[in-house]
Amino acid sequence: MPKKASAQVKESMADQIRAVTESKGVSEESVKRTIENAIKAAYKRTYGQCDNCIVKFSDDLSDVLVYSRKTIVDGVYDPSLEIELEDALKLSSECEEGDEIDILEDPKTWERSAVSTGKQTAHQGLNESFKDNLYAEYKDKVGEIIIGYYQREHNGSIYVDLGKVEGVLPGKYQSPREVYEKNDRIKALITDIKRTNNGIQLVLSRTSPDFVEKILELEVPEIADKTIGVFKIVREPGYRTKIAVYSNKAGVDPVGSCVGLKGQRIQNVIRELEGEKIDVFRYDEDPHAFIANALSPAQVSRVVILDSEKREALAIVSDEGFSLAIGKQGQNVRLANRLCDWSIDVKTEEQVAGMDLTENDTSRRAAEELFGGAAADAGEDVISTVAQLPGVDERVADLLKSAGLDDIEVFVNAVNDGTAQQVEGISADDIEALSKIINENVEFADESDEAENSEEEYFCPDCGAKITLDMKHCPKCGVELVFEED
């Protein structure tokens, strides 16, 4: 009977360890380490130290044994660390003075206070392991969307049930449009992680511009696959959001893709934001065009750069469009300022009548250079060598480089004149595969078109200054230019 009872206890211990690993989500090694620390804490409470405490688990985790490792001496000074040779010989006939011997301990003989200390240590250890695992699981999810359910409200903050963890939506991160009741579904952005006594707490936000970008990314596949890029988003939560987008692929309309067929995509985003107004427009490298776009839904007739160094600009609108450009309590122009990072003054045609609104060429170029840095980040990378092409064979790229044919245009010409076929180590199949990659990823300018365009000269219809086809405003008088095809 005693043996059977012992077997039941051992089996129960193994089952309990497995149950803890499953319920707490901690590893088996972490549970074993926690048990070991708890036993050593109780040992220390009993003997005053635990340096010589040895804890051993059976292979199947059905049992754990505790030993005191003591030095064999002739004349004991510290009973917790030493044992008389005479007593050691009773345990093992082969031991000698100076040897160490492990003596089996019976934890049942330890005082109750020592056992309580061990239990408390185990509880704290498991909690810390649980927190560490949760933190490791969620630390890389900052900046991602998560869905939970309204649990309670306290001091203006909403606490959200997220399953394994709790989320908090502080008052400052709540949209003024939104009101929640118990068990309401809440979608929010994870902005931070905090450790608490019970685990971890996720700090959530529904007012961040990043929240809008993530929602937009879920609705617009072209943003998720990088066909369309988001230049910048600015918000006044609950009222209006402005989104500037650009295309990384020719022929793709970034605004149309975001709006969707019959406005379905953007309506889904507006619905998630509880009816907040959203303006989506195209980012433009030209500050004149970008500022005009940023003031939508107002129609801007002209933008004048007043001081490029101070980033000051004037937007001219019709008398009827003035209030729309300014927005309620200045909201529209304020968001446009933040989006473009320019100080924009809005005036009507009547208000600027008689003013000298001539932009000098230096101011225009400086303004374009200011936007040039951002445009470089937003645009596509220029591919000029074979090694930069996606999916290219490194061996082929190295051989072409050694032969001086690593420039894509040089390689294409070498293929046409037969030089590429003479490179040692490169087969016809290699050339065919590389040519296919080039055709899929590289566009070559039509030299005949460039030559034809370069021969023509254009002049501003207002002041007669020389202009080019890529200009949208005259560099001398600032008038808007529109080129019509014959």
Side-chain angles (χ1 to χ4, degrees):
M1 290 298 292
K3 290 183 179 179
K4 185 176 181 180
S6 175
Q8 289 175 347
V9 171
K10 291 177 181 179
E11 183 181 358
S12 176
M13 175 183 165
D15 290 341
Q16 288 177 9
I17 290 177
R18 282 192 291 270
V20 170
T21 59
E22 293 174 3
S23 63
K24 290 288 187 179
V26 295
S27 65
E28 184 179 288
E29 284 301 317
S30 180
V31 176
K32 288 170 61 178
R33 188 164 54 250
T34 299
I35 294 173
E36 182 177 347
N37 291 338
I39 292 173
K40 287 185 175 180
Y43 185 98
K44 184 176 182 179
R45 183 65 182 266
T46 302
Y47 297 109
Q49 54 78 37
C50 62
D51 294 339
N52 65 326
C53 178
I54 308 298
V55 180
K56 295 182 179 180
F57 290 88
S58 61
D59 293 339
D60 60 359
L61 298 181
S62 62
D63 201 2
V64 57
L65 300 176
V66 186
Y67 296 89
S68 291
R69 181 162 290 174
K70 297 185 178 182
T71 304
I72 301 172
V73 297
D74 185 9
V76 173
Y77 176 74
D78 185 350
S80 64
L81 297 173
E82 300 170 339
I83 185 173
E84 287 284 359
L85 176 61
E86 181 181 348
D87 295 330
L89 288 171
K90 295 177 182 178
L91 301 173
S92 174
S93 59
E94 298 178 357
C95 59
E96 298 177 357
E97 186 177 339
D99 290 347
E100 289 184 335
I101 186 171
D102 292 343
I103 303 170
L104 184 64
E105 287 278 339
D106 184 2
K108 294 178 181 180
T109 63
W110 296 348
E111 295 181 1
R112 179 173 296 180
S113 60
V115 175
S116 297
T117 299
K119 288 181 178 179
Q120 185 178 2
T121 301
H123 183 70
Q124 291 175 347
L126 284 175
N127 277 344
E128 288 303 315
S129 295
F130 180 57
K131 290 179 189 178
D132 290 343
N133 277 11
L134 281 178
Y135 191 87
E137 180 180 347
Y138 284 94
K139 69 177 181 179
D140 295 330
K141 295 186 178 181
V142 173
E144 294 185 6
I145 294 289
I146 196 168
I147 298 174
Y149 296 89
Y150 179 99
Q151 198 171 38
R152 68 185 189 280
E153 186 269 340
H154 180 68
N155 292 336
S157 295
I158 294 175
Y159 290 85
V160 184
D161 180 7
L162 300 171
K164 291 191 291 185
V165 296
E166 181 182 63
V168 59
L169 185 61
K172 64 180 179 179
Y173 294 151
Q174 298 172 28
S175 170
R177 282 180 173 268
E178 299 167 356
V179 178
Y180 297 102
E181 295 181 359
K182 192 169 184 179
N183 295 325
D184 278 354
R185 176 179 172 276
I186 297 177
K187 182 184 289 185
L189 184 81
I190 303 173
T191 62
D192 196 10
I193 301 179
K194 294 182 177 179
R195 292 179 182 267
T196 66
N197 292 333
N198 298 324
I200 64 170
Q201 188 179 72
L202 304 185
V203 181
L204 309 177
S205 173
R206 283 184 56 86
T207 60
S208 169
D210 293 337
F211 175 64
V212 178
E213 183 171 353
K214 288 295 182 180
I215 296 297
L216 194 64
E217 188 175 306
L218 294 174
E219 295 292 337
V220 184
E222 291 86 348
I223 292 180
D225 66 17
K226 308 302 181 184
T227 300
I228 294 174
V230 177
F231 176 74
K232 192 175 181 181
I233 298 177
V234 293
R235 291 183 74 187
E236 289 199 1
Y239 302 101
R240 186 179 288 275
T241 289
K242 286 185 178 290
I243 306 172
V245 293
Y246 58 89
S247 176
N248 287 320
K249 187 175 181 180
V252 177
D253 176 15
V255 176
S257 298
C258 292
V259 173
L261 184 64
K262 297 182 180 180
Q264 185 62 47
R265 290 177 175 179
I266 201 64
Q267 283 301 320
N268 290 339
V269 179
I270 291 172
R271 193 176 299 112
E272 179 61 46
L273 301 182
E274 301 291 341
E276 183 175 318
K277 294 179 180 178
I278 298 179
D279 300 326
V280 183
F281 51 86
R282 185 188 296 268
Y283 166 74
D284 200 299
E285 297 178 16
D286 182 356
H288 299 85
F290 189 35
I291 291 171
N293 293 345
L295 286 169
S296 66
Q299 294 294 321
V300 179
S301 58
R302 183 180 172 192
V303 173
V304 180
I305 304 300
L306 301 177
D307 191 323
S308 57
E309 292 184 358
K310 295 181 180 179
R311 299 179 73 88
E312 295 177 352
L314 171 64
I316 304 171
V317 299
S318 65
D319 293 344
E320 297 78 14
F322 181 75
S323 60
L324 191 60
I326 296 296
K328 187 177 181 179
Q329 298 179 347
Q331 183 187 86
N332 195 58
V333 70
R334 187 165 58 247
L335 285 172
N337 286 343
R338 287 167 50 195
L339 187 73
C340 300
D341 197 23
W342 280 72
S343 177
I344 306 170
D345 186 17
V346 180
K347 292 186 181 297
T348 64
E349 298 279 3
E350 184 179 346
Q351 289 172 330
V352 300
M355 293 176 59
D356 182 11
L357 301 178
T358 302
E359 287 186 31
N360 60 54
D361 194 49
T362 303
S363 177
R364 180 186 62 80
R365 285 199 304 269
E368 292 175 349
E369 287 172 2
L370 284 171
F371 269 60
D377 293 336
E380 297 179 345
D381 293 333
V382 177
I383 299 177
S384 60
T385 64
V386 170
Q388 292 176 296
L389 291 166
V392 71
D393 189 326
E394 292 184 7
R395 178 187 63 82
V396 174
D398 290 340
L399 289 172
L400 289 175
K401 186 174 182 180
S402 300
L405 301 177
D406 56 327
D407 181 88
I408 292 176
E409 190 171 350
V410 173
F411 169 76
V412 172
N413 292 333
V415 172
N416 293 334
D417 63 20
T419 307
Q421 289 83 343
Q422 299 175 11
V423 177
E424 186 176 353
I426 295 184
S427 65
D429 290 340
D430 292 333
I431 293 175
E432 182 180 353
L434 182 52
S435 298
K436 183 179 180 181
I437 294 175
I438 292 174
N439 289 334
E440 292 175 351
N441 293 275
V442 181
E443 294 183 6
F444 295 96
D446 191 333
E447 294 182 0
S448 60
D449 289 346
E450 291 182 0
E452 181 180 344
N453 291 336
S454 64
E455 294 175 359
E456 297 187 49
E457 292 186 347
Y458 300 90
F459 300 92
C460 175
D462 278 20
C463 66
K466 188 175 180 179
I467 57 176
T468 59
L469 288 173
D470 61 338
M471 291 181 180
K472 296 186 178 180
H473 295 81
C474 175
K476 184 175 181 181
C477 67
V479 69
E480 184 176 3
L481 303 172
V482 177
F483 294 90
E484 298 182 354
E485 296 183 0
D486 295 334

